[in-house]
Amino acid sequence: MRQIENFIAGEFVASASGKRFDKHSPLDNRIICSVSEAGRGEVDAAVRAARSALQGEWGGLTTEQRIELLYGVANEITRRFDDFVEAEMSDTGQPEHVMKHVFIPRGAANFKVFADVIKNVASESFQMDTPDGRGALNYSIRRPKGVIGVVCPWNAPFMLMTWKVGPALACGNTVVVKPSEESPQTAALLGEVMNAVGIPKGVYNVVHGFGPDSAGEFVTRHPQVDAITFTGETRTGTAIMKAASEGMRDVSFELGGKNAGIVFADADFEAAVESFSRSVFLNTGQVCLGTERVYVERPIFERFVQALKVKAEAVKYGRPDDHQANYGPLISQEHKQKVLSYYRKAVEEGATLVTGGGVPQMPGELAEGAWVQPTIWTGLPETAAVVQEEIFGPCCHISPFDSEDEVVEKANATDYGLSTTIWTSNLARAHRMAGRIDVGITWINSWFLRDLRTPFGGSKQSGIGREGGVHSLEFYTETRNVCVKL
Ligand code: NAD
């Protein structure tokens, strides 16, 4: 069993209280890590280390020196690629190929991409007229915001954490990271990388624990944390926003979704089915951008339902390193119970169960894991709980539609507004619809294609702010104006 400690001022430290918690494997519920739970004292030490790094060596580096170090971090992650893949597989139970091809390479890329952004970004300037005719020149400068509290989820832990730590450090901030209690390992490994590369002590700190009355709340309530970036559930975002209001701290939020996918009869049918088999079932449905509501134009409705059913029934359950397998468990027993409660609710609400709806028979010790079947329902009204609430599991409800106006109205009839995927060969219609659906990200004839220079975030209750490319600078820097009278 691994021992995971907090990482404060460049040292791995257990909490003074001796409090620890167990991390269980999603595969078979075995205890795989004993994790030190940070108390107020450890969180305070981490925040103080982060602040003194700002005022010390880190704050004194040139942009060029910082960029060099961040390239070093990316290269060291790549050198220790197998360790990161193994740690992330162990925490999440998800297939090795997803770790190798998406989650870990993206984690390394997050340091390079934002180092490049900082290198290339221009500042704004305005010349203005003045009554004496001599004029004035305004220009903006960017300064780091300070100590950033980074609170992360478990669903793609390393990729989502570095998506915040990369730009935060590129902009010259320091961070105190609170990883999810379900995925402590890669955040700890990144501490080793920071030390190996020579990132000054206190720039990157990690405190482990839970949310309320634990490390999450202690970080977000700490008065010396200057701003908070959070990815997770909308309800948690509400609690963090209240904490951030003390001291007027800025927030950047990437929250939940209940994303609609729309398929018109003129779409490339096979490509659409293939894409929905990913957007509904990838990562066992634990993708914030995934599709839980599918709307299919009536002439192809039955055919589409049957085709997606075939895909759902073809998933291969197995351990991450089983190369025949492409489908893992949910993250935890607790999440399994939540997803299964929605599986029951769908039936109670009168859904037609197309496939799944339960727990698969797993061999041997895997029977103790957090496995659930990929599930499809039809026949529910738009008001049903499983059509309105984020389940975050491998499931979707499919309904037919007859017109563009009708499907736009349905897609928008939710408190969330994260992403949508629209399938049609009529590009005029696709562009028109992209402007009408209230989400941060619209994919047309695709899903999950991400250019890291583009703005990423949610509308309505799916988020506040945009991160990605230069958009990340809005949150991770303070822009100041300098006005020079000529
Ligand atoms: P969660 O909100 O339960 O937990 C996220 C983090 O917040 C964890 O580290 C947790 O310990 C911490 N936390 C919980 N309560 C807290 C509190 N009161 N104060 C401070 N910290 C607290 O979310 P999760 O279950 O880990 O992740 C799944 C959710 O994340 C889903 O809703 C999903 O849609 C969302 N998500 C969104 C995006 C996006 O980009 N919009 C990406 C991934 C996941």
Side-chain angles (χ1 to χ4, degrees), residues 97-413:
H97 67 92
V98 182
M99 303 298 138
K100 282 191 162 168
H101 295 117
V102 189
F103 292 169
I104 304 303
R106 269 282 306 278
N110 283 336
F111 288 95
K112 286 192 174 161
V113 166
F114 289 105
D116 290 343
V117 167
I118 280 296
K119 198 172 181 171
N120 294 312
V121 72
S123 76
E124 161 183 295
S125 85
F126 290 99
Q127 289 210 27
M128 68 185 287
D129 295 333
T130 54
D132 64 6
R134 291 177 14 214
L137 171 68
N138 291 276
Y139 65 92
S140 63
I141 54 174
R142 292 180 188 278
R143 287 291 173 265
K145 211 161 232 172
V147 176
I148 309 286
V150 180
V151 182
C152 307
W154 43 258
N155 61 315
F158 188 59
M159 180 176 92
L160 295 173
M161 177 199 42
T162 51
W163 175 244
K164 297 173 179 305
V165 173
L169 300 194
C171 293
N173 302 284
T174 56
V175 295
V176 177
V177 176
K178 210 301 275 173
S180 167
E181 52 275 31
E182 293 296 345
S183 53
Q185 295 193 59
T186 43
L189 260 186
L190 189 59
E192 294 179 19
V193 166
M194 295 288 175
N195 279 351
V197 168
I199 296 282
K201 293 184 188 322
V203 170
Y204 172 80
N205 305 276
V206 183
V207 288
H208 295 285
F210 303 84
D213 204 26
S214 182
E217 186 174 335
F218 302 154
V219 169
T220 54
R221 290 210 172 269
H222 199 294
Q224 292 293 312
V225 168
D226 298 300
I228 300 157
T229 175
F230 166 71
T231 298
E233 284 189 27
T234 297
R235 206 181 37 212
T236 311
T238 306
I240 292 179
M241 202 163 179
K242 285 182 185 153
S245 71
E246 286 294 329
M248 290 298 150
R249 276 109 28 87
D250 201 0
V251 293
S252 175
F253 282 171
E254 294 174 355
L255 307 176
K258 188 72 183 177
N259 310 308
I262 299 169
V263 190
F264 284 91
D266 63 5
D268 177 337
F269 185 85
E270 298 305 330
V273 171
E274 184 59 36
S275 178
F276 278 82
S277 74
R278 292 179 61 242
S279 75
V280 180
F281 306 127
L282 183 76
N283 217 35
T284 319
Q286 304 163 117
V287 179
C288 57
L289 304 162
T291 314
E292 289 190 357
R293 299 183 293 146
V294 184
Y295 299 97
V296 181
E297 207 171 9
R298 199 173 299 275
I300 60 163
F301 175 73
E302 278 306 331
R303 190 171 150 228
F304 186 93
V305 171
Q306 290 312 312
L308 198 61
K309 174 179 190 281
V310 169
K311 294 282 186 192
E313 291 171 359
V315 302
K316 297 265 184 296
Y317 299 85
R319 291 182 179 277
D321 56 359
D322 171 353
H323 292 166
Q324 305 303 314
N326 61 7
Y327 182 86
L330 294 171
I331 187 72
S332 64
Q333 295 296 326
E334 189 190 348
H335 192 49
K336 176 180 172 179
Q337 291 316 320
K338 176 185 164 188
V339 171
L340 289 177
S341 76
Y342 278 104
Y343 282 15
R344 287 190 295 275
K345 197 174 268 183
V347 176
E348 286 158 20
E349 286 182 316
T352 301
L353 182 65
V354 176
T355 187
V359 174
Q361 289 245 321
M362 298 300 293
E365 58 214 18
L366 295 185
E368 304 301 316
W371 305 88
V372 295
Q373 291 174 322
T375 295
I376 301 173
W377 306 283
T378 57
L380 285 173
E382 292 299 298
T383 50
V386 293
V387 183
Q388 285 301 318
E389 296 170 17
E390 183 185 47
I391 302 170
F392 218 52
C395 52
C396 68
H397 178 262
I398 315 183
S399 359
F401 72 87
D402 295 297
S403 75
E404 189 178 315
D405 284 346
E406 176 198 349
V407 77
V408 167
E409 194 183 321
K410 286 181 169 168
N412 283 334

